[in-house]
Amino acid sequence: MSSRDSILSKIKNNQPTSVSELPSLSFLGLDKIDVIQTYKTVLKGIGGFCEEVSSLDEVKAYIATHYPADKRKITTIPELADIAETEWTNDDPHSLQNVELAIIKAHFGVAENSGLWVTDAILGQRVSPFIPQYLTIIVNKKDILATMHQAYERIGDLDYGFGTFIAGPSKTADIEQSLVLGAHGARGLTVFLME
């Protein structure tokens, strides 16, 4: 038996006999916060932008006035095919290097950190939220949760190949302690909160 197998066997044979119930977090009063206002405040604090919209037509109008018409845009949302490419999801990911804007949906958002949960089922390709210069994500207001505890309860045992939380534009201060946006992904994020 290899040392790896020996270690894994010992771990398997030494599991706790009983699992305690997790404590209730109701005393934190999280059910009393204004999740939409909290979401917007946190997103602004980390460098993102938020627009409240009631239709995809409003999303189209915003994109038309805030992003250059001659730059490449991609989306996984069929209703936006008149403003962005939809036939790109089976292309080589390297062919997306010149994308200016990606428009995607999120399954839900989290107010406490402004994170948006996305999976490969809605991304088209895993690189789509990380490779463009700018990213816009549409999420329904009713799908904004207060905390990550609630988010993980919602994710539960869902079956997905890839999933991630996206919050704000890409940023790092590793280089000479100077904040750089877009070092590892999109330089800007706009979240459309849909009625």
Side-chain angles (χ1 to χ4, degrees), residues 57-79:
D57 287 335
E58 290 182 40
V59 172
K60 290 178 187 181
Y62 182 93
I63 289 171
T65 59
H66 288 82
Y67 299 98
D70 61 336
K71 299 286 186 166
R72 187 174 181 201
K73 299 172 190 71
I74 62 173
T75 187
T76 54
I77 305 166
E79 296 87 351

Side-chain angles (χ1 to χ4, degrees), residues 34 36-37 39-41 43 49-55 58-59 62 139 141 190-195:
D34 181 344
I36 300 302
Q37 189 56 47
Y39 183 89
K40 290 166 53 176
T41 301
L43 181 64
F49 299 98
C50 186
E51 291 291 322
E52 294 186 56
V53 295
S54 57
S55 70
E58 290 182 40
V59 172
Y62 182 93
V139 64
K141 284 183 178 181
T190 300
V191 175
F192 293 105
L193 291 174
M194 184 84 72
E195 289 292 339

